[in-house]
Amino acid sequence: IGNLDLVRDISDIRRVVEVYTRLVSEPLPGETLNICSGAPIRLSDIPEQLQQITGNAIKLTVNPAFVRPHEPEHIVGDATKLETMMAGLPRFSLEETLEVMAKSV
């Protein structure tokens, strides 16, 4: 895999589907929204949490070919406008998202 020290915005598909469902039923013409969680997730947290959830050891090897030079270390969306315009959107922690994913496999 590539660089696990990066921070990214990871959205649970259930939240994304809820946003699109609302936009189809009640469009917001002329508005631009960041469909994101707004929560920073360090990529190295994902395998650590999966190990806790599944009880399985995960061994990862970084392939230098997958590490992109000059990759931004921190990319996180701002969900403020989205959550203001669409009150009551579901929020899921990384653990909740990974638990659902692990159980569906």
Side-chain angles (χ1 to χ4, degrees):
I1 62 171
N3 185 355
L4 288 175
D5 292 326
L6 304 175
V7 174
R8 294 293 183 261
D9 186 308
I10 297 175
S11 294
D12 187 293
I13 190 65
R14 296 169 289 180
R15 178 180 168 93
V16 175
V17 167
E18 177 68 22
V19 171
Y20 284 133
T21 300
R22 290 188 191 188
L23 286 172
V24 167
S25 59
E26 296 179 31
L28 300 170
E31 295 295 338
T32 302
L33 300 172
N34 287 327
I35 300 175
C36 60
S37 70
I41 305 283
R42 183 163 304 279
L43 297 182
S44 62
D45 290 346
I46 296 171
E48 290 173 11
Q49 286 200 19
L50 279 172
Q51 286 184 128
Q52 292 174 359
I53 291 167
T54 66
N56 296 317
I58 298 174
K59 181 182 178 190
L60 301 174
T61 305
V62 174
N63 182 339
F66 295 159
V67 177
R68 293 179 265 187
H70 313 295
E71 173 135 28
E73 291 182 21
H74 192 98
I75 300 175
V76 179
D78 182 351
T80 305
K81 183 176 178 182
L82 174 69
E83 292 178 347
T84 299
M85 297 189 81
M86 294 187 176
L89 282 176
R91 289 189 143 279
F92 301 97
S93 68
L94 176 62
E95 183 177 3
E96 289 170 315
T97 299
L98 294 175
E99 282 178 355
V100 169
M101 291 172 65
K103 289 178 184 175
S104 67
V105 174

